[in-house]
Amino acid sequence: MEYGISTKCLYGNGTEETVDRSGAISFPIYQTATFAHRGVGESTGYDYSRLQNPTREQLEKVVAALESGVDALAFSSGMAAITALMELFHPGDHIITDCDLYGGSIRLFDNVSKKNGILFSSVDCAKCAPEEFEKLVGENTKAIFIETPTNPMMNVIDIEKLAEISKRHGLLLIVDNTFMSPYFQNPLKLGADVVVHSGTKYLGGHNDTIAGFLVTSTNELSEKLRFLIKTVGSGLAPFDSWLILRGIKTLALRMERGEKNAEKLVSWLCQEKKVTKVCYPGLVDHPGHEVCKKQSRGFGCMVTFEVESKELAHKILKDVRLIRFAESLGGVETLITYPITQTHADVPKEVLAANGVTDRILRLSVGIEDVEDLIKELEQVFHE
Protein backbone atom coordinates (compact mmCIF):
# COMPACT_ATOMS: atom_id res chain seq x y z
CA MET A 1 0.00 0.00 0.00
CA GLU A 2 1.08 3.59 -0.55
CA TYR A 3 2.19 5.27 2.68
CA GLY A 4 1.55 8.90 3.51
CA ILE A 5 4.44 11.35 3.54
CA SER A 6 4.84 11.34 7.34
CA THR A 7 5.04 7.53 7.42
CA LYS A 8 7.56 7.56 4.57
CA CYS A 9 9.80 9.77 6.71
CA LEU A 10 10.13 6.82 9.10
CA TYR A 11 10.06 3.81 6.81
CA GLY A 12 10.45 4.88 3.19
CA ASN A 13 8.07 2.75 1.13
CA GLY A 14 8.37 0.03 3.76
CA THR A 15 8.68 -2.69 1.13
CA GLU A 16 12.41 -2.57 0.40
CA GLU A 17 14.59 -5.35 1.72
CA THR A 18 17.60 -4.22 3.70
CA VAL A 19 20.90 -5.89 4.42
CA ASP A 20 20.27 -5.60 8.16
CA ARG A 21 18.48 -8.59 9.70
CA SER A 22 18.92 -7.66 13.38
CA GLY A 23 15.54 -6.02 13.84
CA ALA A 24 17.23 -2.77 14.94
CA ILE A 25 14.74 0.10 15.02
CA SER A 26 17.53 2.57 14.31
CA PHE A 27 19.24 1.42 11.13
CA PRO A 28 22.87 0.50 11.92
CA ILE A 29 25.90 2.54 10.91
CA TYR A 30 28.08 0.33 8.72
CA GLN A 31 31.29 2.16 9.52
CA THR A 32 33.53 0.26 7.15
CA ALA A 33 35.57 1.23 4.12
CA THR A 34 35.57 -2.18 2.47
CA PHE A 35 33.76 -5.54 2.49
CA ALA A 36 35.09 -9.11 2.40
CA HIS A 37 34.21 -11.51 -0.41
CA ARG A 38 33.43 -15.20 0.05
CA GLY A 39 35.26 -16.02 -3.18
CA VAL A 40 35.79 -14.86 -6.76
CA GLY A 41 32.50 -13.57 -8.10
CA GLU A 42 30.81 -14.03 -4.71
CA SER A 43 30.20 -10.46 -3.56
CA THR A 44 27.80 -9.72 -0.74
CA GLY A 45 26.49 -6.87 -2.90
CA TYR A 46 28.90 -4.44 -1.26
CA ASP A 47 32.52 -4.04 -2.25
CA TYR A 48 33.82 -0.65 -1.19
CA SER A 49 32.03 2.21 0.57
CA ARG A 50 32.88 4.71 -2.17
CA LEU A 51 30.67 2.58 -4.42
CA GLN A 52 27.93 1.84 -1.90
CA ASN A 53 27.40 1.29 1.81
CA PRO A 54 24.33 -0.24 3.50
CA THR A 55 23.67 2.86 5.61
CA ARG A 56 23.84 5.19 2.62
CA GLU A 57 21.71 2.78 0.60
CA GLN A 58 18.98 2.82 3.26
CA LEU A 59 19.01 6.62 3.33
CA GLU A 60 18.75 6.76 -0.46
CA LYS A 61 15.73 4.46 -0.43
CA VAL A 62 13.95 6.71 2.07
CA VAL A 63 14.69 9.90 0.10
CA ALA A 64 13.61 8.26 -3.17
CA ALA A 65 10.33 7.29 -1.50
CA LEU A 66 9.77 10.82 -0.17
CA GLU A 67 10.21 12.30 -3.66
CA SER A 68 8.44 9.44 -5.49
CA GLY A 69 11.63 8.91 -7.48
CA VAL A 70 13.08 5.86 -9.18
CA ASP A 71 16.36 6.36 -7.33
CA ALA A 72 18.13 8.79 -5.00
CA LEU A 73 21.87 9.29 -4.65
CA ALA A 74 23.41 10.70 -1.46
CA PHE A 75 26.42 13.02 -1.83
CA SER A 76 28.87 14.64 0.56
CA SER A 77 27.14 18.02 0.08
CA GLY A 78 24.49 19.73 -2.01
CA MET A 79 27.22 21.31 -4.13
CA ALA A 80 28.86 17.91 -4.63
CA ALA A 81 25.52 16.67 -5.95
CA ILE A 82 25.17 19.55 -8.42
CA THR A 83 28.82 19.21 -9.47
CA ALA A 84 28.28 15.53 -10.30
CA LEU A 85 25.06 16.39 -12.12
CA MET A 86 26.94 18.83 -14.37
CA GLU A 87 29.10 15.90 -15.52
CA LEU A 88 26.10 14.68 -17.54
CA PHE A 89 26.79 17.54 -19.96
CA HIS A 90 29.46 18.08 -22.59
CA PRO A 91 31.36 21.11 -23.94
CA GLY A 92 28.99 23.15 -26.08
CA ASP A 93 25.85 22.01 -24.25
CA HIS A 94 23.53 24.81 -23.19
CA ILE A 95 21.55 25.06 -19.93
CA ILE A 96 18.83 27.60 -19.13
CA THR A 97 18.82 28.68 -15.48
CA ASP A 98 16.60 30.90 -13.41
CA CYS A 99 18.17 34.27 -12.61
CA ASP A 100 17.67 33.92 -8.83
CA LEU A 101 19.66 30.93 -7.59
CA TYR A 102 21.70 30.01 -4.53
CA GLY A 103 25.05 31.79 -4.79
CA GLY A 104 26.99 28.52 -4.63
CA SER A 105 25.21 27.22 -7.73
CA ILE A 106 25.96 30.45 -9.60
CA ARG A 107 29.62 30.28 -8.49
CA LEU A 108 29.88 26.68 -9.76
CA PHE A 109 28.28 27.50 -13.11
CA ASP A 110 30.31 30.68 -13.65
CA ASN A 111 33.71 29.42 -12.53
CA VAL A 112 33.75 25.67 -13.18
CA SER A 113 31.00 24.63 -15.60
CA LYS A 114 31.70 27.48 -18.04
CA LYS A 115 35.42 26.64 -17.91
CA ASN A 116 34.45 23.12 -18.95
CA GLY A 117 32.62 24.45 -21.99
CA ILE A 118 29.01 24.41 -20.79
CA LEU A 119 26.96 27.44 -21.88
CA PHE A 120 24.32 29.14 -19.74
CA SER A 121 21.43 31.53 -20.26
CA SER A 122 19.66 33.15 -17.31
CA VAL A 123 16.04 34.28 -17.25
CA ASP A 124 13.38 35.16 -14.70
CA CYS A 125 11.41 31.91 -14.92
CA ALA A 126 8.69 33.20 -12.61
CA LYS A 127 7.78 36.05 -14.97
CA CYS A 128 8.90 34.93 -18.42
CA ALA A 129 6.06 34.01 -20.78
CA PRO A 130 6.35 30.52 -22.32
CA GLU A 131 6.81 31.86 -25.85
CA GLU A 132 9.62 34.15 -24.70
CA PHE A 133 11.20 31.32 -22.73
CA GLU A 134 11.18 29.03 -25.74
CA LYS A 135 13.16 31.58 -27.74
CA LEU A 136 16.12 30.69 -25.50
CA VAL A 137 15.97 27.04 -26.51
CA GLY A 138 18.49 26.10 -29.19
CA GLU A 139 19.69 22.88 -30.80
CA ASN A 140 22.38 22.56 -28.12
CA THR A 141 20.04 23.24 -25.17
CA LYS A 142 20.01 20.22 -22.87
CA ALA A 143 18.44 21.26 -19.57
CA ILE A 144 16.58 23.79 -17.44
CA PHE A 145 17.80 24.37 -13.87
CA ILE A 146 15.58 26.13 -11.32
CA GLU A 147 14.80 26.54 -7.64
CA THR A 148 11.29 27.22 -6.42
CA PRO A 149 10.84 29.15 -4.23
CA THR A 150 14.07 30.86 -5.22
CA ASN A 151 16.96 31.75 -2.95
CA PRO A 152 16.76 34.38 -1.55
CA MET A 153 13.89 36.31 -3.16
CA MET A 154 11.24 33.59 -2.78
CA ASN A 155 9.99 33.76 -6.38
CA VAL A 156 7.67 30.88 -7.27
CA ILE A 157 8.07 29.09 -10.62
CA ASP A 158 5.36 26.96 -12.19
CA ILE A 159 7.02 23.54 -12.41
CA GLU A 160 4.30 21.96 -14.57
CA LYS A 161 4.53 24.72 -17.20
CA LEU A 162 8.30 24.36 -17.44
CA ALA A 163 7.92 20.57 -17.55
CA GLU A 164 5.67 20.93 -20.59
CA ILE A 165 8.29 23.06 -22.34
CA SER A 166 11.14 20.72 -21.37
CA LYS A 167 9.28 17.65 -22.65
CA ARG A 168 8.38 19.39 -25.91
CA HIS A 169 12.06 20.12 -26.59
CA GLY A 170 13.58 16.99 -25.07
CA LEU A 171 15.25 18.84 -22.19
CA LEU A 172 15.98 17.75 -18.63
CA LEU A 173 14.11 19.76 -16.02
CA ILE A 174 16.19 19.99 -12.84
CA VAL A 175 14.55 21.42 -9.72
CA ASP A 176 16.37 22.32 -6.53
CA ASN A 177 13.72 21.51 -3.92
CA THR A 178 15.77 22.41 -0.83
CA PHE A 179 13.56 25.28 0.40
CA MET A 180 10.32 23.28 0.36
CA SER A 181 11.66 19.80 1.19
CA PRO A 182 9.83 16.67 -0.01
CA TYR A 183 7.28 17.23 2.73
CA PHE A 184 5.76 20.27 1.03
CA GLN A 185 6.65 19.76 -2.66
CA ASN A 186 7.45 16.89 -5.04
CA PRO A 187 8.73 18.21 -8.39
CA LEU A 188 9.00 14.75 -10.02
CA LYS A 189 5.23 14.38 -9.70
CA LEU A 190 4.89 17.69 -11.55
CA GLY A 191 7.04 16.58 -14.48
CA ALA A 192 10.62 17.31 -13.39
CA ASP A 193 13.38 14.84 -14.28
CA VAL A 194 15.88 15.43 -11.47
CA VAL A 195 15.38 16.85 -7.98
CA VAL A 196 18.29 18.38 -6.07
CA HIS A 197 18.48 18.71 -2.29
CA SER A 198 20.97 20.12 0.10
CA GLY A 199 20.40 17.42 2.70
CA THR A 200 22.19 19.65 5.19
CA LYS A 201 19.01 21.69 5.41
CA TYR A 202 15.51 20.34 6.13
CA LEU A 203 16.25 16.66 5.56
CA GLY A 204 18.97 16.63 8.23
CA GLY A 205 17.22 19.34 10.18
CA HIS A 206 19.68 19.81 13.04
CA ASN A 207 22.59 21.83 11.59
CA ASP A 208 24.97 19.02 12.51
CA THR A 209 26.05 17.47 9.20
CA ILE A 210 26.40 18.19 5.49
CA ALA A 211 24.84 16.16 2.67
CA GLY A 212 23.31 16.44 -0.79
CA PHE A 213 20.92 14.42 -2.98
CA LEU A 214 19.94 13.85 -6.56
CA VAL A 215 16.61 12.09 -7.08
CA THR A 216 15.83 10.74 -10.55
CA SER A 217 12.67 10.01 -12.49
CA THR A 218 14.13 7.28 -14.72
CA ASN A 219 16.43 4.28 -14.53
CA GLU A 220 18.48 5.70 -17.40
CA LEU A 221 19.35 8.83 -15.42
CA SER A 222 19.99 6.73 -12.33
CA GLU A 223 22.52 4.53 -14.16
CA LYS A 224 24.43 7.54 -15.52
CA LEU A 225 24.58 9.20 -12.11
CA ARG A 226 25.52 5.95 -10.32
CA PHE A 227 28.51 5.68 -12.65
CA LEU A 228 29.46 9.28 -11.86
CA ILE A 229 29.13 9.04 -8.07
CA LYS A 230 31.43 6.02 -7.90
CA THR A 231 33.87 7.60 -10.35
CA VAL A 232 34.21 11.06 -8.82
CA GLY A 233 33.98 9.66 -5.27
CA SER A 234 31.58 12.14 -3.68
CA GLY A 235 29.20 9.70 -1.98
CA LEU A 236 28.02 10.40 1.56
CA ALA A 237 29.92 8.73 4.42
CA PRO A 238 28.15 6.13 6.64
CA PHE A 239 27.91 8.20 9.82
CA ASP A 240 26.61 11.26 7.96
CA SER A 241 24.10 9.02 6.19
CA TRP A 242 22.85 7.84 9.57
CA LEU A 243 22.55 11.42 10.86
CA ILE A 244 20.39 12.39 7.87
CA LEU A 245 18.29 9.21 8.30
CA ARG A 246 17.69 10.18 11.92
CA GLY A 247 16.83 13.76 10.95
CA ILE A 248 14.29 12.72 8.32
CA LYS A 249 12.24 10.87 10.94
CA THR A 250 11.03 14.21 12.33
CA LEU A 251 10.81 16.06 8.98
CA ALA A 252 7.01 16.24 9.00
CA LEU A 253 6.81 17.56 12.56
CA ARG A 254 9.56 20.14 11.98
CA MET A 255 8.09 21.42 8.72
CA GLU A 256 4.61 21.81 10.20
CA ARG A 257 5.88 23.67 13.27
CA GLY A 258 8.30 25.80 11.26
CA GLU A 259 5.59 26.84 8.80
CA LYS A 260 3.20 27.85 11.59
CA ASN A 261 5.97 29.93 13.17
CA ALA A 262 6.83 31.46 9.79
CA GLU A 263 3.23 32.53 9.21
CA LYS A 264 3.11 34.32 12.57
CA LEU A 265 6.48 35.99 11.99
CA VAL A 266 5.35 37.13 8.55
CA SER A 267 2.24 38.73 10.08
CA TRP A 268 4.45 40.62 12.52
CA LEU A 269 6.91 41.70 9.82
CA CYS A 270 4.09 42.97 7.60
CA GLN A 271 2.95 45.30 10.40
CA GLU A 272 6.43 46.57 11.28
CA LYS A 273 6.93 50.07 9.80
CA LYS A 274 10.69 49.63 9.44
CA VAL A 275 10.15 46.63 7.14
CA THR A 276 9.68 47.75 3.54
CA LYS A 277 9.06 44.37 1.87
CA VAL A 278 8.20 40.82 2.92
CA CYS A 279 8.72 37.91 0.50
CA TYR A 280 6.76 34.83 1.51
CA PRO A 281 4.59 32.70 -0.83
CA GLY A 282 1.94 32.33 1.86
CA LEU A 283 0.99 36.01 1.52
CA VAL A 284 -2.07 36.35 -0.71
CA ASP A 285 -0.47 39.30 -2.52
CA HIS A 286 2.72 37.36 -3.31
CA PRO A 287 2.89 37.01 -7.14
CA GLY A 288 3.43 33.26 -6.84
CA HIS A 289 0.81 32.57 -4.16
CA GLU A 290 -1.67 30.74 -6.40
CA VAL A 291 1.04 28.73 -8.18
CA CYS A 292 2.48 27.70 -4.81
CA LYS A 293 -0.98 26.60 -3.64
CA LYS A 294 -1.36 24.53 -6.80
CA GLN A 295 1.97 22.71 -6.72
CA SER A 296 2.82 22.52 -3.00
CA ARG A 297 1.21 21.29 0.20
CA GLY A 298 2.37 24.34 2.16
CA PHE A 299 4.29 27.60 1.92
CA GLY A 300 7.40 26.57 3.82
CA CYS A 301 9.52 28.07 6.59
CA MET A 302 11.73 30.50 4.64
CA VAL A 303 11.06 34.25 4.79
CA THR A 304 12.96 37.09 3.13
CA PHE A 305 12.39 40.68 4.13
CA GLU A 306 13.80 44.12 3.41
CA VAL A 307 14.35 46.83 6.02
CA GLU A 308 14.52 50.60 5.59
CA SER A 309 18.32 50.95 5.71
CA LYS A 310 21.61 49.08 5.59
CA GLU A 311 22.35 50.41 9.08
CA LEU A 312 19.21 48.80 10.47
CA ALA A 313 20.06 45.50 8.77
CA HIS A 314 23.50 45.54 10.39
CA LYS A 315 22.01 46.44 13.77
CA ILE A 316 19.60 43.51 13.61
CA LEU A 317 22.40 41.11 12.74
CA LYS A 318 24.54 42.42 15.59
CA ASP A 319 21.82 42.46 18.25
CA VAL A 320 19.98 39.15 17.76
CA ARG A 321 20.74 36.49 20.36
CA LEU A 322 18.02 33.81 20.31
CA ILE A 323 17.91 34.10 16.53
CA ARG A 324 21.40 33.23 15.29
CA PHE A 325 23.23 35.23 12.61
CA ALA A 326 24.56 32.35 10.53
CA GLU A 327 24.62 30.85 7.07
CA SER A 328 22.53 27.81 6.16
CA LEU A 329 18.87 27.05 6.81
CA GLY A 330 16.44 24.29 7.57
CA GLY A 331 17.50 23.40 11.11
CA VAL A 332 15.43 23.43 14.28
CA GLU A 333 17.06 26.75 15.24
CA THR A 334 15.92 30.01 13.65
CA LEU A 335 18.76 31.51 11.61
CA ILE A 336 19.07 34.94 10.01
CA THR A 337 21.31 35.36 6.99
CA TYR A 338 22.67 38.38 5.12
CA PRO A 339 22.73 37.15 1.50
CA ILE A 340 24.81 39.96 0.06
CA THR A 341 27.86 39.04 2.20
CA GLN A 342 27.12 35.37 2.87
CA THR A 343 25.19 33.02 0.59
CA HIS A 344 25.44 35.31 -2.46
CA ALA A 345 28.78 37.03 -1.83
CA ASP A 346 30.29 35.71 -5.09
CA VAL A 347 27.33 36.61 -7.30
CA PRO A 348 28.08 39.51 -9.68
CA LYS A 349 26.77 42.84 -8.38
CA GLU A 350 24.69 43.48 -11.48
CA VAL A 351 22.92 40.13 -11.02
CA LEU A 352 22.21 40.89 -7.35
CA ALA A 353 20.84 44.31 -8.27
CA ALA A 354 18.61 42.90 -10.99
CA ASN A 355 17.21 40.32 -8.56
CA GLY A 356 16.60 42.88 -5.81
CA VAL A 357 19.23 41.48 -3.46
CA THR A 358 20.44 44.62 -1.70
CA ASP A 359 22.29 45.44 1.52
CA ARG A 360 18.84 45.83 3.14
CA ILE A 361 17.72 42.26 2.44
CA LEU A 362 17.67 39.65 5.25
CA ARG A 363 16.67 35.99 5.06
CA LEU A 364 15.07 34.04 7.90
CA SER A 365 15.04 30.28 8.25
CA VAL A 366 12.29 29.87 10.83
CA GLY A 367 12.81 27.13 13.39
CA ILE A 368 10.66 25.40 15.99
CA GLU A 369 11.11 27.71 19.00
CA ASP A 370 8.13 29.29 20.76
CA VAL A 371 7.25 31.88 18.16
CA GLU A 372 6.37 34.45 20.84
CA ASP A 373 10.01 34.42 21.91
CA LEU A 374 11.14 35.06 18.35
CA ILE A 375 8.73 37.97 17.95
CA LYS A 376 9.75 39.49 21.29
CA GLU A 377 13.39 39.42 20.23
CA LEU A 378 12.63 41.07 16.88
CA GLU A 379 10.54 43.74 18.60
CA GLN A 380 13.46 44.47 20.90
CA VAL A 381 16.18 44.64 18.21
CA PHE A 382 14.01 46.79 15.96
CA HIS A 383 13.12 49.37 18.61
CA GLU A 384 15.71 49.45 21.39
Side-chain angles (χ1 to χ4, degrees), residues 99-246:
C99 60
D100 188 33
L101 294 176
Y102 166 55
S105 299
I106 295 173
R107 181 172 58 236
L108 174 72
F109 298 159
D110 284 351
N111 296 283
V112 179
S113 301
K114 285 183 179 178
K115 169 184 69 68
N116 293 336
I118 301 173
L119 308 174
F120 292 87
S121 295
S122 178
V123 65
D124 187 339
C125 295
K127 294 180 181 178
C128 190
E131 58 273 16
E132 291 299 314
F133 188 94
E134 292 193 74
K135 290 179 182 178
L136 296 172
V137 179
E139 291 184 4
N140 61 336
T141 305
K142 303 298 181 183
I144 302 167
F145 187 105
I146 65 168
E147 303 166 359
T148 182
T150 63
N151 184 0
M153 297 309 292
M154 304 300 294
N155 301 320
V156 176
I157 300 166
D158 193 319
I159 297 172
E160 282 186 314
K161 282 188 179 179
L162 277 191
E164 290 172 8
I165 294 172
S166 67
K167 296 294 185 292
R168 191 155 57 244
H169 293 278
L171 312 178
L172 289 179
L173 177 57
I174 303 160
V175 181
D176 188 327
N177 197 32
T178 298
F179 267 25
M180 277 300 196
S181 89
Y183 183 74
F184 281 137
Q185 184 170 268
N186 299 121
L188 297 183
K189 287 186 173 182
L190 299 167
D193 298 290
V194 180
V195 168
V196 177
H197 281 285
S198 172
T200 313
K201 313 304 192 292
Y202 288 111
L203 292 174
H206 291 79
N207 289 319
D208 58 8
T209 194
I210 294 176
F213 294 91
L214 297 177
V215 190
T216 67
S217 62
T218 68
N219 285 315
E220 180 185 6
L221 277 170
S222 169
E223 288 173 11
K224 290 178 180 179
L225 290 168
R226 284 276 166 208
F227 176 81
L228 287 169
I229 195 172
K230 77 174 183 180
T231 302
V232 302
S234 50
L236 192 61
F239 184 65
D240 297 293
S241 296
W242 182 82
L243 283 171
I244 301 293
L245 261 177
R246 184 187 63 166

Side-chain angles (χ1 to χ4, degrees), residues 19-22 27-33 35 49 53-55 238-239:
V19 68
D20 181 64
R21 297 289 185 269
S22 68
F27 195 88
I29 305 167
Y30 285 81
Q31 193 63 48
T32 182
F35 301 83
S49 280
N53 177 282
T55 315
F239 184 65

Side-chain angles (χ1 to χ4, degrees), residues 41-53:
E42 295 183 47
S43 170
T44 61
Y46 303 95
D47 303 308
Y48 190 58
S49 280
R50 173 166 54 78
L51 311 181
Q52 188 53 293
N53 177 282

Side-chain angles (χ1 to χ4, degrees), residues 81-90 112 116 118 225 228 232:
I82 298 173
T83 299
L85 181 64
M86 288 299 107
E87 293 299 325
L88 291 176
F89 305 104
H90 299 87
V112 179
N116 293 336
I118 301 173
L225 290 168
L228 287 169
V232 302

Side-chain angles (χ1 to χ4, degrees), residues 269 303 305 307 313 316-318 320-329 333-339 342 361-366 377-378 381-382:
L269 289 167
V303 181
F305 64 99
V307 295
I316 293 167
L317 296 170
K318 182 176 177 59
V320 288
R321 293 293 179 268
L322 175 62
I323 300 170
R324 302 300 178 90
F325 173 27
E327 296 203 38
S328 200
L329 61 102
E333 302 89 357
T334 296
L335 303 181
I336 190 166
T337 299
Y338 198 38
Q342 292 183 301
I361 288 286
L362 299 166
R363 192 192 73 186
L364 274 175
S365 170
V366 183
E377 171 153 289
L378 287 175
V381 299
F382 266 88

Side-chain angles (χ1 to χ4, degrees), residues 278-335:
V278 180
C279 306
Y280 181 66
L283 290 169
V284 293
D285 60 352
H286 186 286
H289 179 74
E290 292 302 322
V291 173
C292 197
K293 281 174 62 177
K294 178 186 75 168
Q295 67 187 20
S296 306
R297 291 181 290 273
F299 299 110
C301 316
M302 298 299 301
V303 181
T304 295
F305 64 99
E306 182 183 70
V307 295
E308 61 186 9
S309 68
K310 177 180 76 172
E311 291 72 24
L312 178 57
H314 287 199
K315 179 183 182 300
I316 293 167
L317 296 170
K318 182 176 177 59
D319 290 351
V320 288
R321 293 293 179 268
L322 175 62
I323 300 170
R324 302 300 178 90
F325 173 27
E327 296 203 38
S328 200
L329 61 102
V332 291
E333 302 89 357
T334 296
L335 303 181

